[in-house]
Amino acid sequence: MELFQYPYMQRALIGALVIGLAAPALGIYLVQRRLALIGDGVGHVALTGVGAGLLLNRSPVLVAVLVATVGAITIEVVRSRGRTSGDLALALLFYGGIAGGVLLVGLSDATSANLNAYLFGSLTTIKPADLTTIAVLGAAILVTMIALRPALFAVTHDEEYARVSGLPVRTLNLLIAVTTAVTVTIAMRAVGVLLISALMVVPVATAQQVTRGFRSTMTAAMALGLFAAGSGVWVAATANTPPGASVVLLAIASFLVVAVAGGIWRALRRRSVPAAAAAAEPHEVVLQ
């Protein structure tokens, strides 16, 4: 714990905790819509923005926000108009984004270390200005996802019902797309563009195994994301491991633990039900 006396580790912990809360709060809507992998697609597009920023000597994060937002809106427009299936649109984002990013980074003077910081995260290099950006945007995402929960749930669950109810379906869909792009971008320095989708999806998948309602699932997913983020930074600090990978692996470990425990619990319940039914049957009395 001595490492957390240093300002750079404090910034790393705070940044990870903010993203650990915000990512699952958004991810539950993506999982509900069956777009669990959209974070990967937007992340690859954000990599193109990073390459463009490095090439033009501009802020890679700012350029990545703009490029990722355009990419997310594009895939939402394509999906909503039905011209291309969702998985095909995601595939186009995957391949086009990573190819554009590699090309632009190759044309710039950036080193492989600079690129790895965005691909896999670099929590310990977060500056005070970066932390402020992460905190402000993360809080905005969190407040938006919670405040608009009824409307966003209706849109992600049944668009036709939401449209009949008078909700601005297109606007809400675009809002989800934009917040996805912003979440991916602010998480680049924490877990990297290649791992952020896991932090959006895995806590939600874990929570779905032990909860029933949407609100309780969202709350549990945020708690699990917070646990994975905080524990991941602690493991990285003590074991000298990459923070982003540590966070994601702890989130996956939580999923496995809950899955195994849930399987054992269900097996025990299935065994106890026949035994209870047999005990409840009336016993025959034999008269001598």
Side-chain angles (χ1 to χ4, degrees):
M1 298 298 291
E2 295 181 358
L3 283 174
F4 289 99
Q5 298 176 357
Y6 298 102
Y8 74 93
M9 286 303 302
Q10 296 172 2
R11 292 194 295 269
L13 179 61
I14 295 173
L17 292 178
V18 171
I19 295 168
L21 275 175
L26 168 66
I28 190 170
Y29 300 104
L30 302 180
V31 172
Q32 187 74 22
R33 181 172 282 184
R34 301 184 185 278
L35 286 176
L37 294 179
I38 191 174
D40 284 330
V42 175
H44 285 73
V45 174
L47 184 61
T48 298
V50 170
L54 293 174
L55 180 63
L56 300 174
N57 291 323
R58 297 290 186 269
S59 171
V61 175
L62 179 59
V63 179
V65 169
L66 298 176
V67 175
T69 300
V70 172
I73 293 176
T74 300
I75 190 174
E76 174 56 34
V77 171
V78 171
R79 185 199 66 82
S80 62
R81 293 187 177 181
R83 295 181 180 178
T84 307
S85 62
D87 58 344
L88 181 56
L90 282 174
L92 293 175
L93 278 180
F94 267 68
Y95 306 139
I98 194 69
V102 171
L103 177 64
L104 293 176
V105 171
L107 292 175
S108 68
D109 296 329
T111 63
S112 59
N114 297 129
L115 182 59
N116 287 336
Y118 295 100
L119 286 175
F120 304 107
S122 182
L123 271 172
T124 55
T125 62
I126 291 179
K127 300 178 181 178
D130 297 329
L131 182 60
T132 301
T133 302
I134 291 173
V136 171
L137 294 180
I141 293 168
L142 191 60
V143 170
T144 302
M145 295 300 103
I146 295 176
L148 299 180
R149 179 168 50 198
L152 292 174
F153 171 76
V155 170
T156 54
H157 186 263
D158 190 342
E159 283 193 9
E160 293 301 324
Y161 171 78
R163 189 173 286 108
V164 171
S165 300
L167 293 174
V169 174
R170 179 172 297 179
T171 301
L172 292 172
N173 284 334
L174 290 176
L175 175 64
I176 294 176
V178 171
T179 51
T180 300
V182 174
T183 302
V184 168
T185 306
I186 66 173
M188 285 193 306
R189 300 302 298 272
V191 295
V193 296
L194 298 183
L195 298 174
I196 178 56
S197 187
L199 199 55
M200 289 181 180
V201 174
V202 176
V204 177
T206 306
Q208 285 179 334
Q209 299 184 71
V210 295
T211 57
R212 294 184 180 273
F214 185 84
R215 180 179 298 180
S216 59
T217 301
M218 185 178 190
T219 303
M222 291 167 60
L224 289 166
L226 196 65
F227 166 77
S231 301
V233 174
W234 178 80
V235 169
T238 56
N240 195 26
T241 57
S246 301
V247 170
V248 172
L249 287 177
L250 279 173
I252 294 175
S254 300
F255 173 84
L256 294 176
V257 169
V258 171
V260 172
I264 295 174
W265 172 254
R266 287 188 293 270
L268 293 175
R269 289 193 62 183
R270 283 195 297 267
R271 289 185 179 182
S272 63
V273 169
E281 292 180 357
H283 297 283
E284 294 183 358
V285 179
V286 180
L287 299 176
Q288 299 294 338

